[in-house]
Amino acid sequence: MLIAIENLDAGYNTPAGRQSVVKIGHLSIAQGEHTLLLGPSGSGKTTLLNVLSGLALPFSGKIVIDGTTLNALSAAERDKFRCQKIGLVMQRLHLISALNVGNNLLLTQRLAGMARDLNRVSAVLRALGIEHKAKKYPRTLSQGEAQRVAIARAVLNRPPIVLADEPTSALDDANCDTAIDLLFAQAHEHGATLVVATHDARIKHRFSRVHELVASK
Ligand SMILES: Nc1ncnc2c1ncn2[C@@H]1O[C@H](COP(=O)(O)OP(=O)(O)OP(=O)(O)O)[C@@H](O)[C@H]1O
Ligand SMILES: [Mg+2]
């Protein structure tokens, strides 16, 4: 899906006042494009992905995804839009601790209104080398295993957009390659648009398009 950002000003209301973190005049990401958001810690990568996914609202400007102005929707409409269209790997993962790995993934199918598909759950976990963890609870996983579960969950429903925040930060080189391979393979298979935010230099060469964010003082 096409993503267009217009005159974006996003940040936080702090006790010291409004603090802008990301300002982008215009950025257009074509359908099926793989874009890397690169920037040092604090440059606003997570803030930008939060507004792109509709989890947060910008101070001003527009996020248009496939003709829908995301920030003009109500919170409930944004939640529905995200469940149906966006696969999200969050930096702090946010796996559901009360559900085992398999049920974390099945819940994602259910929230998107999709039919229960255990074969798909197994296939995605297998692709990431964690099929044997399907019955385990998130707290019993290593950080890298939990990160792979979050990636599996994001691609499970074959969403037209995948947004991934530091998806490889806890992965060794081999698993880093596997995770990026899977993100690319699923994006390619369904013409999905992929936006990955990172400061992981290992994956820079795999992206044809890099948008750099600069830390504000
Ligand atoms: N909830 C918040 N309230 C106020 N300021 C915040 C909040 N979250 C983040 N910030 C500030 O916004 C700036 C950008 O943060 P953000 O998390 O988007 O950076 P990042 O590029 O994702 O960094 P990292 O690589 O460490 O994940 C930082 O200066 C941070 O202190
Ligand atoms: Mg971040």
Side-chain angles (χ1 to χ4, degrees):
M1 280 187 174
L2 175 86
I3 302 175
I5 300 172
E6 298 289 347
N7 298 320
L8 185 77
D9 181 357
Y12 302 90
N13 287 308
T14 70
R18 183 184 266 209
Q19 194 191 343
S20 288
V21 171
V22 183
K23 287 189 177 181
I24 296 176
H26 176 81
L27 178 66
S28 187
I29 300 173
Q31 174 160 349
E33 196 167 34
H34 301 169
T35 299
L36 189 69
L37 297 175
L38 196 63
S41 181
S43 59
K45 301 181 295 296
T46 296
T47 305
L48 178 54
L49 289 186
N50 284 346
V51 296
L52 280 182
S53 61
L55 283 170
L57 288 173
F59 293 138
S60 58
K62 277 207 296 193
I63 307 277
V64 182
I65 299 182
D66 202 31
T68 298
T69 302
L70 192 59
N71 50 303
L73 300 179
S74 68
E77 288 167 335
R78 292 200 308 276
D79 287 346
K80 188 170 176 201
F81 186 89
R82 184 180 330 104
C83 278
Q84 294 180 341
K85 311 264 192 217
I86 300 178
L88 194 56
V89 183
M90 299 180 82
Q91 188 166 13
R92 289 182 191 164
L93 304 187
H94 293 285
L95 301 176
I96 312 287
S97 60
L99 297 179
N100 70 28
V101 166
N103 285 332
N104 261 274
L105 269 61
L106 288 171
L107 177 66
T108 302
Q109 288 176 339
R110 192 159 162 193
L111 288 174
M114 299 178 72
R116 181 184 162 92
D117 184 351
L118 266 175
N119 288 336
R120 172 68 181 164
V121 168
S122 299
V124 172
L125 290 177
R126 198 178 316 123
L128 286 159
I130 46 169
E131 197 185 8
H132 59 296
K133 299 288 182 186
K135 296 250 159 45
K136 302 286 184 203
Y137 284 81
R139 67 177 176 281
T140 69
L141 303 176
S142 74
Q143 188 59 29
E145 288 163 351
Q147 198 160 36
R148 283 181 280 161
V149 174
I151 293 167
R153 183 175 62 175
V155 302
L156 184 74
N157 293 342
R158 304 180 175 93
I161 296 177
V162 176
L163 305 177
D165 197 355
E166 302 283 3
T168 56
S169 59
L171 302 184
D172 57 32
D173 290 351
N175 281 313
C176 174
D177 280 342
T178 307
I180 294 296
D181 285 348
L182 183 79
L183 285 169
F184 277 30
Q186 106 84 33
H188 183 69
E189 208 178 318
H190 310 286
T193 305
L194 177 64
V195 181
V196 175
T198 198
H199 54 241
D200 188 344
R202 292 177 300 177
I203 65 175
K204 188 177 174 185
H205 70 282
R206 306 217 32 195
F207 287 78
S208 51
R209 181 158 183 212
V210 178
H211 180 82
E212 296 220 24
L213 296 178
V214 197
S216 49
K217 2 61 302 124

